[in-house]
Amino acid sequence: MPAGDDIPLLLAVPALPFAGFLLNAAFGRRLGGRAAGLVACVAVGLSALLSFALALLLFAHPPAPGASHALTASLGDWIRAGSLRVGFDLALDPLSALMICVVTGVGFLIHLYSLGYMAEDASQPRYFAYLNLFVGMMLVLVLAGNLGLMFLGWEGVGLCSYLLIGFWFSDAAKAAAGLKAFLVNRIGDAGFLLAAAAAWHASGTLEIPGLSKASLGASLPLVCLGLLLGVCGKSAQIPLYTWLPDAMAGPTPVSALIHAATMVTAGVYLLCRTAGLYLACPFMMHAVAAVGLATALGAGLVACAQTDIKKVLAYSTVSQLGFMVLACGAGAFTGAMFHLVTHACFKACLFLCAGSVIHALGGEQDLSRMGGLRKAMPWTHAAFAASVLAICGVPPFSGFFSKDAILWGVLRGAGPAAWGLGLLAAGVTGYYMTRLYALAFHSSDRTSGHAHEAPWIMTGPVAALGALALLAGALDPHVPGMHLYSWLPGVLALPASAGAAPALPEAAAMAMAIAASVAGMGLAWSRFARAERVAPASALAAEGFGVDRFWRAALVDPLRRGAEALWFWVDCILIDGAMVEAPALVLRGVGQLARAAQRGKASASLACLLLGALLVLWLLGAAP
Amino acid sequence: MRLGLDPLTFLILCPLAAAAAVALLGRRPTLARAAALLASLVELWGVGERLAELPVGGWMSWEVRRAWLPDWGASWHLGADGLSLMLIAATALLVPLVILGSWTQVKERVAPFHACLLVLEAALVGTFVARDLLCFFVFWEAVLIPMYFLIGIWGGAGRMAAAVKFVVYTAVGSLLMLVAIVAVAHRGGEWDFDMARAAAEPMALPAQRWAFLAFALAFAIKVPLFPFHTWLPQAHVEAPTGGSVLLAGVLLKMGVYGFLRIAWPLCPAAAAAAAPWLGALAVCGILYGALMALAQDDLKKLVAYSSVSHLGYCILGLASGTPAGAAGAAFLMLSHAVTTGALFFLVGMAYERTHTRKVGDFGGIATAAPRFACAFGVIAMASVGVPGLCGFAGEFPVLAGAWAARPLWAVGAALGVILGAVYLLGAFQRMMFGPVRLPGGLSGLAGGHFPDLAAREVMVLAPLAALALALGLYPSLVMDRLGPCVAAIGR
């Protein structure tokens, strides 16, 4: 537990959404859909107000430079076994304060939007109960003061993701997508658990501030590796990203909240939270950067070939998360957090706009049956356009500042090669996002003609997020009075100056980044702005370079077939048959022979007697 | 209330006396059920009183010692610490739930069925409170008899073969244990079956090794530890629901309890030497049991094999030789009693409705019976170790302890965590979600009819689901009373 002031009110931040969950779980059906939704919104809204108030309280008393500073609250011990101790300890430092503001703020807007989006659904109480549970678990994740409690949130959000992806469970494919998400995440979770076990064994504590190179010793690389596996699962990085595109089976507000703005960024948050460990282990930093770069580029290319509006956004999320992970690997942790915040705003906005479009077109998600929607849906169009400009990195939209912070950090921390590939990924981002925008809102009208603007309860949150997509760049360090960078280093234990002297001046690097994005955007605009139809793209890219098929052929099918073979040959034949039943059969056979001898005819008995006597005499005679 | 008996003797005699009374109600099935339920509730009340008195730390309490066979050094010596009492509590909770759960499932020979249950309860309680090796052995063996009848009379089509296999397999282990007990008790020409004294003066190492081997085999069969497990799936598949619940919920724990209470304290040096072997077998069992569960289409067999995997974690916790691992193992015993008990109840309820247990026969139950699906979901999540529910609070200390002993063990156990979700949630998925597809016909019900949980069934499942949550959120309540009892295992 970091030294800090105890403030029990902090417990209310996650407790409020949990209360909303309990209320809706117990009485939701009696309350009815509308009331259940309001309960959920109020719970998250109050939690958001409290979060912002606590964050202001924290920021009003900035710590001494380099010092760790936190508001804390504790509910006592959760698990106590031997010397292993996991406390219900929450800690609010600048890093987690930033996160709870994002989680509750964006979460609240998406809750409001859901009131409209899910209005027709019969299972609203269940939906809002899960949504509240998710927000509560996410808050536990980010506020946790130790790895054990963080794992409670970590798996808790995974559980909610599972439940919400498969929310419409009577569709077997949707339910299967939920299971896939849970199982793939479990692989990452196993890594997290092992890292926690290793950290405990080496240092005797799970408290995050207590973990350092000194306390972990030789276990440091293993801890970093295990946590990285967890990051790959939760933040959908290569090789574990395949669950996220499938996760689009869930209701669209869920995709916005869980699979764009908050849960999937938990991995990036974890990297920042444990930045001190990674910085002490340069090899793992390279691994993190490599994973992030490969994901940013690979997923971006796949996004260019998707024809489902949500799939484009899903691969785009994977790619942007790759940027954040790349930033962590290059040591630009503040840049990663900055991009996490702006991405939460513009990607949530993009998803909610996509939801409005899908809603307006009666469930249509295929880009080949959209087009020209800017006239029918002006508000949605404006917000979507602002977010596209933001994600592409056009100044002065928010994404420009955060992506620039990342690329500049990569150039300084990971070298020009990684930076060049990052530029390429930025160009690809410009391409696929402009393609998406053009195919949905421009190009020829391929809809059946009933599109209409969404109700105000949906456009309101969309407009708010659109405004944030424009303005969130104000968190940039170049803006006077913005302390994001000066607050975070104390928490992140960053060295004073990260990396070597850059090969380029900052302005030149920035200009090249803008040029790369604009080139990608221009190319896409020229190809799709007036498109009549959506041409089929590369089949290989469309199915994600066959990664899914690879896992199925290499792991999923052999596992099941192997288990069946193992059961038949080893369990039934070898262990139960040869080692258990066979000796029993032999014993029974001997018994039956003996019994036959005992109750046979007199002649047989006599024969046995004589044979026995002969045997005894022979043995006697043969003995020396 | 206790008729002048000391608390622990009362806890043994109460169900035994009730069994005798219930056995006489052969012609009045409903009365027999009600009487058995009442008796089991009295027992639960008695256990609850002891739980309330149990000090934090769980030290040995309510000790009583009377002469039994003075010439042989055997006495009626009982006592309960946190470990014993928690297992008794699991027993005393599951028995009334079994009676309630079997209310409509057992229709023939009702009175003898309930008499068997109560005798079983008495024998189980006796096993967990015995502080004298001969006493322990008598109760250990006494457990076999009612269980044999429960499987052999009220079981499925292959019940006789399963019952015989169960008894013979376990009896082989018991025989080895008896030899070891005699070896431990007969020293210097004197007989003394007292556990505490045997633990205070362990034997010389060579003898200890042999005794540990015999004990370990007996307990490994009961646990069951891979590769001594093949009696288990067969027994579970054939046993009636109530039998399966008690078999998985409590009987298997006798094996782990034996390791904790007898094999380890009586042969400490040999146990320390054997720990690497046990740990390796436990990891094999975790992975092997999970793979076997993955290969099953019969839901009951799947849950049975999952027990092999889960009990592997218990043994791994012991073998880690760390206080954290041992406490986690002890906690997992309770967690497993709650989750697997509930899973067998759920399997039984699905079977009662459809007369099939094949996972592939079901689909879309969540639409037809949302409460059933919800209960199954909560229990399944607890079973796969989602934190906040009971499984995790035991699994994590075991994993941490395993890492401390040998990191490779922890890696194996973590793989088991993944596989656990694959087989159980995979089956959950296929049964609960997708379009409604329900077997009918055989049950006499209309095809596609799957009534949701009745009030009686809710009464069976609700306490278990509530416990799964309570133990998951506040495990210290139990852990503080369990941990110190097993900490001696730690180095």
Side-chain angles (χ1 to χ4, degrees):
Chain A
M1 191 90 270
D5 309 321
D6 195 52
I7 175 163
L9 198 58
L10 186 57
L11 292 170
V13 173
L16 280 163
F18 281 133
F21 159 71
L22 287 178
L23 210 61
N24 273 337
F27 307 109
R29 238 183 274 179
R30 251 163 286 172
L31 287 173
R34 192 90 198 158
L38 288 176
V39 166
C41 288
V42 169
V44 174
L46 289 177
S47 181
L49 284 177
L50 192 59
S51 298
F52 280 93
L54 288 172
L56 285 177
L57 184 68
L58 187 74
F59 290 145
H61 305 284
S68 128
H69 173 69
L71 302 176
T72 61
S74 177
L75 265 183
D77 282 358
W78 172 30
I79 296 175
R80 262 195 308 260
S83 56
L84 176 71
R85 184 191 158 278
V86 181
F88 268 114
D89 301 332
L90 305 185
L92 188 78
D93 61 5
L95 184 60
S96 52
L98 196 62
M99 283 301 283
I100 63 170
C101 291
V102 171
V103 170
T104 56
V106 177
F108 175 63
L109 291 174
I110 292 173
H111 271 71
L112 283 184
Y113 178 93
S114 296
L115 285 180
Y117 191 85
M118 299 299 285
E120 312 291 321
D121 200 287
S123 308
Q124 276 187 80
R126 190 162 57 89
Y127 173 83
F128 281 107
Y130 290 166
L131 219 53
N132 268 185
L133 183 63
F134 168 77
V135 173
M137 286 296 185
M138 191 70 206
L139 289 169
V140 169
L141 192 167
V142 299
L143 286 171
N146 58 64
L147 286 179
L149 187 62
M150 191 189 247
F151 192 72
L152 168 65
W154 189 267
E155 281 247 306
V157 291
L159 173 66
C160 296
S161 163
Y162 162 76
L163 292 169
L164 282 163
I165 294 169
F167 180 71
W168 290 304
F169 55 71
S170 52
D171 181 339
K174 289 184 160 69
L179 183 64
K180 181 177 174 185
F182 193 84
L183 296 183
V184 174
N185 266 296
R186 267 256 148 169
I187 299 175
D189 294 354
F192 190 121
L193 268 183
L194 288 174
W200 171 74
H201 175 55
S203 68
T205 180
L206 288 169
E207 307 297 329
I208 294 165
L211 303 178
S212 65
K213 186 178 186 182
S215 68
L216 290 178
S219 303
L220 178 67
L222 286 173
V223 173
C224 290
L225 184 67
L227 291 179
L228 178 60
L229 193 61
V231 170
C232 286
K234 197 60 78 190
S235 286
Q237 298 296 295
I238 288 174
L240 298 180
Y241 76 90
T242 57
W243 64 271
L244 186 58
D246 287 35
M248 297 298 116
T252 305
V254 168
S255 312
L257 177 62
I258 300 183
H259 305 121
T262 55
M263 182 187 85
V264 289
T265 63
V268 179
Y269 170 74
L270 177 63
L271 286 176
C272 294
R273 184 92 278 178
T274 54
L277 303 185
Y278 283 91
L279 284 169
C281 190
F283 170 73
M284 285 312 298
M285 287 291 274
H286 295 317
V288 171
V291 164
L293 189 55
T295 308
L297 207 51
L301 290 175
V302 176
C304 298
Q306 299 302 309
T307 53
D308 180 311
I309 183 169
K310 285 183 73 178
K311 286 274 166 76
V312 180
L313 291 176
Y315 279 107
S316 151
T317 304
V318 176
S319 173
Q320 297 300 311
L321 290 167
F323 268 110
M324 298 178 214
V325 171
L326 168 64
C328 293
F333 290 96
T334 46
M337 282 308 295
F338 187 18
H339 198 55
L340 187 157
V341 174
T342 60
H343 176 260
C345 299
F346 60 68
K347 188 52 71 64
C349 182
L350 288 168
F351 264 111
L352 293 188
C353 290
S356 295
V357 167
I358 295 166
H359 204 251
L361 299 178
E364 185 57 64
Q365 293 184 204
D366 193 341
L367 284 171
S368 62
R369 284 193 279 276
M370 292 181 187
L373 289 170
R374 68 183 181 283
K375 287 173 206 129
M377 309 180 74
W379 285 99
T380 307
H381 169 247
F384 197 89
S387 302
V388 167
L389 291 170
I391 191 175
C392 292
V394 175
F397 291 86
S398 60
F400 161 73
F401 298 98
S402 56
K403 196 173 284 182
D404 183 61
I406 288 181
L407 288 174
W408 178 239
V410 169
L411 180 61
R412 294 206 306 167
W419 177 73
L421 289 171
L423 279 193
L424 183 61
V428 172
T429 305
Y431 180 84
Y432 67 72
M433 282 314 299
T434 309
R435 170 180 175 270
L436 172 63
Y437 168 70
L439 286 177
F441 290 94
H442 291 266
S443 64
S444 64
D445 185 350
R446 303 177 298 279
T447 65
S448 42
H450 301 299
H452 54 84
E453 186 54 282
W456 65 267
I457 190 76
M458 288 160 70
T459 46
V462 166
L465 285 169
L468 284 172
L470 172 61
L471 299 173
L475 289 171
D476 191 84
H478 297 103
V479 177
M482 276 300 155
H483 299 305
L484 184 68
Y485 278 57
S486 57
W487 285 326
L488 291 181
V491 185
L492 299 174
L494 288 182
S497 67
L504 281 173
E506 191 170 4
M510 189 186 287
M512 288 183 70
I514 297 174
S517 293
V518 171
M521 293 171 73
L523 183 63
W525 185 256
S526 66
R527 293 183 66 178
F528 299 106
R530 296 191 215 313
E532 299 290 325
R533 59 190 193 88
V534 179
S538 147
L540 191 62
E543 60 155 23
F545 298 125
V547 174
D548 240 345
R549 245 184 321 145
F550 168 77
W551 280 126
R552 184 161 288 282
L555 186 67
V556 180
D557 290 343
L559 184 66
R560 187 167 289 276
R561 273 204 304 274
E564 274 160 16
L566 194 67
W567 176 61
F568 183 76
W569 290 106
V570 174
D571 210 56
C572 297
I573 305 281
L574 183 66
I575 299 181
D576 198 40
M579 286 161 61
V580 178
E581 295 283 357
L585 276 180
V586 170
L587 276 181
R588 176 181 291 191
V590 170
Q592 264 163 357
L593 276 181
R595 192 162 59 182
Q598 292 297 316
R599 71 155 89 114
K601 291 178 184 161
S603 53
S605 299
L606 195 62
C608 282
L609 182 70
L610 290 174
L611 276 175
L614 277 173
L615 186 68
V616 170
L617 287 175
W618 178 73
L619 283 173
L620 281 174
Chain B
M1 176 71 190
R2 295 208 305 262
L3 309 170
L5 292 170
D6 66 273
L8 297 182
T9 307
F10 171 79
L11 289 181
I12 297 173
L13 292 189
C14 166
L16 212 52
V22 168
L24 294 177
L25 296 170
R27 308 239 172 133
R28 309 282 299 277
T30 309
L31 192 61
R33 285 190 186 103
L37 184 61
L38 184 69
S40 66
L41 288 175
V42 169
E43 175 85 353
L44 181 59
W45 178 262
V47 174
E49 280 183 337
R50 299 292 84 72
L51 272 179
E53 292 167 16
L54 186 72
V56 173
W59 316 119
M60 185 73 74
S61 309
W62 313 288
E63 217 167 338
V64 54
R65 185 205 296 263
R66 275 172 228 286
W68 176 31
L69 301 170
D71 294 345
W72 291 91
S75 53
W76 178 257
H77 183 187
L78 312 179
D81 60 359
L83 178 65
S84 301
L85 197 62
M86 291 300 168
L87 288 169
I88 293 169
T91 315
L93 175 72
L94 285 177
V95 169
L97 296 182
V98 162
I99 294 171
L100 212 54
S102 310
W103 206 266
T104 55
Q105 287 180 8
V106 173
K107 299 192 181 79
E108 282 171 23
R109 300 179 223 230
V110 174
F113 176 82
H114 289 91
C116 275
L117 282 182
L118 291 167
V119 171
L120 182 60
E121 180 171 24
L124 286 169
V125 171
T127 308
F128 294 133
V129 295
R131 288 288 168 265
D132 178 281
L133 286 166
L134 205 58
C135 253
F136 175 84
F137 185 74
V138 168
F139 283 121
W140 175 281
E141 291 292 277
V143 167
L144 280 185
I145 301 162
M147 201 63 212
Y148 171 75
F149 287 126
L150 283 174
I151 299 175
I153 297 178
W154 292 275
R159 55 187 180 264
M160 272 324 289
V164 169
K165 192 170 188 175
F166 163 69
V167 166
V168 172
Y169 215 137
T170 318
V172 169
S174 305
L175 203 64
L176 292 169
M177 176 163 73
L178 184 60
V179 173
I181 286 179
V182 168
V184 168
H186 185 70
R187 273 184 297 170
E190 293 282 314
W191 289 97
D192 189 348
F193 286 91
D194 194 85
M195 276 187 207
R197 233 166 293 161
E201 308 154 22
M203 294 180 287
L205 191 57
Q208 234 188 70
R209 282 213 185 104
W210 286 109
F212 183 82
L213 188 65
F215 279 131
L217 269 171
F219 300 140
I221 289 171
K222 198 81 173 182
V223 167
L225 187 62
F226 171 84
F228 308 104
H229 63 275
T230 53
W231 62 269
L232 181 77
Q234 206 175 341
H236 269 308
V237 166
E238 300 301 339
T241 298
S244 283
V245 169
L246 288 174
L247 184 58
V250 191
L251 263 72
L252 305 188
K253 280 34 168 227
M254 291 165 64
V256 186
Y257 177 81
F259 273 112
L260 279 167
R261 180 68 78 213
I262 295 181
W264 235 272
L266 266 50
C267 318
W277 297 96
L278 274 178
L281 275 185
V283 173
C284 286
I286 289 172
L287 296 173
Y288 184 84
L291 286 172
M292 292 303 99
L294 189 58
Q296 304 308 317
D297 192 39
D298 181 323
L299 188 60
K300 209 167 179 186
K301 247 186 179 163
L302 187 155
V303 179
Y305 275 114
S306 85
S307 292
V308 176
S309 186
H310 284 289
L311 271 291
Y313 284 100
C314 290
I315 300 300
L316 181 60
L318 301 187
S320 78
T322 58
F331 186 85
L332 263 187
M333 286 202 266
L334 299 177
S335 156
H336 181 260
V338 169
T339 55
T340 305
L343 280 175
F344 276 119
F345 274 125
L346 286 159
V347 174
M349 288 169 191
Y351 183 76
E352 196 184 2
R353 285 162 166 78
T354 58
H355 284 227
T356 176
R357 290 188 302 253
K358 280 201 173 308
V359 173
D361 284 352
F362 296 92
I365 293 180
T367 308
R371 265 181 291 175
F372 181 87
C374 178
F376 204 131
V378 171
I379 296 297
M381 289 299 167
S383 179
V384 303
V386 169
L389 296 167
C390 58
F392 178 75
E395 254 174 38
F396 183 53
V398 166
L399 207 70
W403 183 282
R406 279 170 200 227
L408 206 56
W409 288 354
V411 172
L415 284 178
V417 170
I418 302 174
L419 288 176
V422 174
Y423 65 75
L424 194 55
L425 294 185
F428 179 72
Q429 164 94 349
R430 282 189 284 161
M431 291 179 70
M432 301 296 157
F433 300 146
V436 181
R437 182 166 44 83
L438 297 168
L442 274 177
S443 60
L445 297 165
H449 186 59
F450 196 101
D452 208 345
L453 294 181
R456 176 181 56 80
E457 292 169 321
V458 171
M459 279 158 65
V460 173
L461 294 174
L464 295 175
L467 262 180
L469 189 63
L471 288 180
L473 285 178
Y474 194 28
S476 323
L477 189 66
V478 170
M479 205 85 99
D480 288 350
R481 290 160 174 80
L482 274 180
C485 307
V486 296
I489 280 186
R491 285 189 280 259

